[in-house]
Amino acid sequence: MHTVVVGTSRVTASDVLAVARAGARVELSAEAVAALAAARGIVDALAAKPDPVYGVSTGFGALATRHISPELRAQLQRNIVRSHAAGMGPRVEREVVRALMFLRLKTVCSGHTGVRPEVAQTMADVLNAGITPVVHEYGSLGCSGDLAPLSHCALTLMGEGDAEGPDGVVRPAGELLAEHGIAPVELREKEGLALLNGTDGMLGMLIMALADLDTLYKSADITAALSLEGLLGTDRVLAPELHAIRPHPGQGASAANMLAVLKGSELTGHHQDDAPRVQDAYSVRCAPQVAGAGRDTLAHARLVAERELASAVDNPVVLPDGRVESNGNFHGAPVAYVLDFLAIAAADLASIAERRTDRLLDKNRSHGLPPFLADDPGVDSGLMIAQYTQAALVSEMKRLAVPASADSIPSSAMQEDHVSMGWSAARKLRTAVDSLTRVLAVELYAATRAVELREGLTPAPASRAVIDAVRAAGIAGPGPDRFLAPDLAAADAFVRAGHLVAAAETVTGPLR
């Protein structure tokens, strides 16, 4: 099994995906262990002094003015974890919990948190044992970190609360730790706070969304190209010289992908046939501009994620000169903004894909295709209701595109009076990514049928490869009405697994 070694500096997005989704093992480097020990020495020295230091010998948030005596500090650290583990609602997905645990471990190992090496090792041991704390949907405001989600994870380290074992069964965390020979941690000064104070949940979800959207934007270029063929559109609008005079990188990449898929098609450029038209509708002609803008949004979001991966997010932090300083680096605004931005881009991509699907089904705009691509229109309804489903998904995505980061509800007796809502932005983006996959699956289903109905005209070799792969996956082509939900589910799985991109790339080579 692949092993990810955590040092004192940044981890990569690939590391996060390997741990969160592929179950990669985690090891601490010798450098990280040394940095942990050095920072802990600083915290221990401050804890021994009579002067109060926030997070070390004081309360938290609005209660930070109280100096805590040494005999109560272990209890203080336990209590902050227990009281902050206040999430409610459905369980969060296993991959999200593993991502946020791994990213918190990354920051702990930076040497800026003051956590002891044995606590960090326990975090790695829990990940390696396949133990996943039960984390709930609601509880984070995305400021002072993803407090409630991270608290539920810290609770598991203490042997308290519930967790899911590697067998998928939820049991008391203490039992799971004992079965795997992991001793619960006894938290000391600052450690409870350090385990809770980070943007790890929203960052983990951002990284996974970026990986998924990278595939989906390529998929959208392919389905747009298939729809263009099905509508007998022109590929002249994809010419590189047209996109060179408006040099947005994403637009150029999207146009190049569509052009590669359409190379060798006999279905393009029939504008002056039986139904002459000067130019294609926006949903066809402007596909690279819309998808390209989304691609550039992805590039910006990826830059933010890389910066956050290189960050040590905690409050207070241990600095190299020995100071322990309070700060505001836990605020989730940088991550929250791009999470919202991606949801907007995803909604627009879904919207233009739905418009192409609707055009394929409308006999007044499809340039010769049967109504709803039905076998015997009137007796058969064809794909009429598949477009309804697609429209319902798009409508919800538009609602999900309303920014979470524009909202703020003060908390902690007005000490935390401006919050990012980044966790909420991440949660709705996950739903949007899931819905975009389904929307593109419906377009794929309609476009492949439309292309096959253009008898006497040969599709592009890449299109043919896609159609063959879709049919090999058991997804039916043109014909009488059938139970449609299983076909749409299979098309969804085909897109979700990356098979659509893989099929096209057997002809085009790697798409951009």
Side-chain angles (χ1 to χ4, degrees), residues 111-130:
H112 291 292
T113 67
V115 169
R116 288 169 295 152
E118 50 264 43
V119 176
Q121 185 58 56
T122 301
M123 297 172 74
D125 291 342
V126 169
L127 282 167
N128 292 339

Side-chain angles (χ1 to χ4, degrees), residues 37 144 167 180 213 279 285 354 440 446-447 467:
S144 287
D167 59 358
H180 290 84
L213 287 168
Q279 53 192 359
R285 188 174 10 134
E354 183 275 329
L440 294 178
I467 293 169

Side-chain angles (χ1 to χ4, degrees), residues 216-455:
L216 289 175
Y217 270 85
K218 293 175 185 175
S219 299
D221 292 339
I222 297 166
T223 59
L226 285 162
S227 291
L228 186 151
E229 281 191 294
L231 292 166
L232 301 179
T234 179
D235 59 356
R236 292 177 64 180
V237 296
L238 304 173
E241 57 269 26
L242 293 175
H243 298 278
I245 61 175
R246 195 191 191 194
H248 293 286
Q251 177 180 325
S254 183
N257 283 348
M258 288 184 66
L259 204 57
V261 172
L262 292 169
K263 185 178 181 181
S265 175
E266 293 183 0
L267 281 78
T268 59
H270 292 269
H271 284 66
Q272 301 306 316
D273 290 353
D274 294 336
R277 55 203 140 120
V278 176
Q279 53 192 359
D280 292 317
Y282 284 10
S283 61
V284 178
R285 188 174 10 134
C286 302
Q289 284 77 9
V290 173
R295 285 171 171 272
D296 291 342
T297 303
L298 284 178
H300 172 62
R302 195 170 288 114
L303 175 62
V304 171
E306 289 170 355
R307 289 171 176 166
E308 198 73 2
L309 281 170
S311 303
V313 178
D314 193 14
N315 180 47
V317 291
V318 181
L319 296 174
D321 60 8
R323 287 180 294 144
V324 175
E325 293 286 0
S326 193
N327 68 93
N329 283 342
F330 49 73
H331 200 286
V335 183
Y337 291 166
V338 294
L339 288 163
D340 280 334
F341 201 173
L342 289 174
I344 292 169
D348 201 33
L349 186 64
S351 180
I352 197 170
E354 183 275 329
R355 289 293 79 204
R356 289 190 295 263
T357 303
D358 182 66
R359 186 166 288 272
L360 288 166
L361 305 187
D362 184 353
K363 71 181 182 65
N364 296 312
R365 295 179 292 138
S366 66
H367 307 288
L369 291 170
F372 304 106
L373 305 182
D375 186 62
D376 185 4
V379 174
D380 293 311
S381 295
L383 306 190
M384 180 191 296
I385 308 304
Q387 184 266 331
Y388 283 32
T389 300
Q390 193 185 41
L393 289 162
V394 171
S395 180
E396 182 183 48
M397 289 181 70
K398 291 176 181 178
R399 295 191 294 273
L400 292 171
V402 176
S405 57
D407 186 28
S408 176
I409 297 180
S411 56
S412 192
M414 291 299 287
Q415 177 70 8
E416 298 170 9
D417 59 350
H418 183 81
V419 297
S420 78
M421 304 306 294
W423 173 273
S424 298
R427 295 306 296 164
K428 68 185 184 66
L429 177 59
R430 281 181 71 83
T431 302
V433 169
D434 198 45
S435 296
L436 176 59
T437 308
R438 295 190 174 102
V439 168
L440 294 178
V442 175
E443 184 182 18
L444 173 67
Y445 192 79
T448 53
R449 179 179 287 203
V451 169
E452 288 186 297
L453 287 170
R454 296 294 188 185
E455 296 179 359

Side-chain angles (χ1 to χ4, degrees), residues 182-220:
I182 302 171
V185 297
E186 294 285 345
L187 298 176
R188 288 169 48 179
E189 292 93 343
K190 195 183 178 303
E191 290 180 332
L193 186 61
L195 294 176
L196 317 185
N197 226 333
T199 56
D200 309 292
M202 63 183 90
L203 176 58
M205 286 186 274
L206 172 60
I207 289 167
M208 288 185 282
L210 287 169
D212 294 338
L213 287 168
D214 183 68
T215 298
L216 289 175
Y217 270 85
K218 293 175 185 175
S219 299

Side-chain angles (χ1 to χ4, degrees), residues 40 44 73-79 81-82 114-120 122-123 154-160 177 182-192 195:
R40 185 64 207 181
D44 285 340
R73 290 175 189 169
Q75 181 181 342
L76 170 68
Q77 300 301 320
R78 289 194 301 271
N79 285 350
V81 173
R82 289 168 176 167
V115 169
R116 288 169 295 152
E118 50 264 43
V119 176
T122 301
M123 297 172 74
L155 201 65
T156 294
L157 299 179
M158 292 165 48
E160 300 181 18
L177 293 185
I182 302 171
V185 297
E186 294 285 345
L187 298 176
R188 288 169 48 179
E189 292 93 343
K190 195 183 178 303
E191 290 180 332
L195 294 176

